[in-house]
Amino acid sequence: MVERIAEVDGSAGWVASFGAATVYLAGLPLETQAELYADGPDVVFAGGLFPVREVPRVEGGYRVSGRWRFASGCHGADVLGVGIRAAREGAGEVPGRPLTAVLRPAQVEIVENWDVVGLRGTGSHDLAVDGVTVPEEWTFVRGGPARVDEPLYRYPTVPYAAQVLAVVGLGVARAALDHVTADGSRPAWTGAPRPADRAAYRISLARAEAQLRSSRALFYETTDAVWATVVSGDPASREQASLLRLASAHLAQTASEVALAAYRLGGTDALAAGGVLERCLRDASAVPQHAFLQESVFEGAGAVLAGVEPFPGYV
């Protein structure tokens, strides 16, 4: 669904992808979840989880202050999360895994500073919190175990978060490639042969199509295999979680490359500000900049494939 939305608009797809972020909330105590969903299931969760801020423990919870970045879709959220780490570890904390404190919008100031090259419409502003006490029961370990035993919550949480972002790039690249494919029959401005009649155009178009379809196939093949595992009642293995992250990073980077190839195939028309190819180029280039999809993912995946320990927090 996110992939299809992103074909129409990358920013809309990016914000839609955070509908999947509610899987994080399954880490909250069941009593908290009952309160959270008291009025129905349509709860929108957004968060600025980084940088993780060290906060003091107080009786019953944490005293939260600080500023966090990249809270996509925060203006439309019912609850907002921020990444914290206690000054000293308590019983509910996992070493190396940050906590997320869940707050209501009235407790958070949205600092409107999202001025970027790509994905301009996501509203990924900063969040500022000033001395709010967050009860222990309104915190969870990001990527930790869920309190609900259903297949969706046995699926690896952090790789899932990377996946829903990666398919935004896929949708955007698909839109760019479809645009130049349909545009191949246009007459050239200079009177030269149509793009579709040129060998260089046809070769580049075919290579880009193969790149995008191949990375998409790897992505969904890996997804289906892991989903079958969790539906059977088993947890996903570390190797499976790593493959999900690898397929996601590969897809995001490939989609960016395909959007660039489509832009080049667009010729002089692609220079128009606000055009389809200009927007697709910017949006697809922004996706692999996300921390979950950067070059370091390949290092972690390579470590797991080689049978050595990846960097902390990778899986």
Side-chain angles (χ1 to χ4, degrees), residues 186 189-190 263-272:
R186 63 175 167 80
W189 287 102
T190 61
Y263 178 83
R264 288 172 173 166
L265 288 172
T268 306
D269 287 344
L271 292 171

Side-chain angles (χ1 to χ4, degrees), residues 104-117:
R104 297 293 182 177
Q107 298 174 299
V108 180
E109 177 193 358
I110 296 174
V111 183
E112 296 188 350
N113 62 345
W114 187 243
D115 184 12
V116 291
V117 172

Side-chain angles (χ1 to χ4, degrees), residues 70-82:
F70 309 127
S72 297
C74 55
H75 273 299
D78 300 303
V79 286
L80 296 161
V82 296

Side-chain angles (χ1 to χ4, degrees), residues 195 197-206 265:
D197 293 330
R198 304 175 197 171
Y201 173 90
R202 296 195 293 254
I203 292 169
S204 295
L205 184 68
L265 288 172

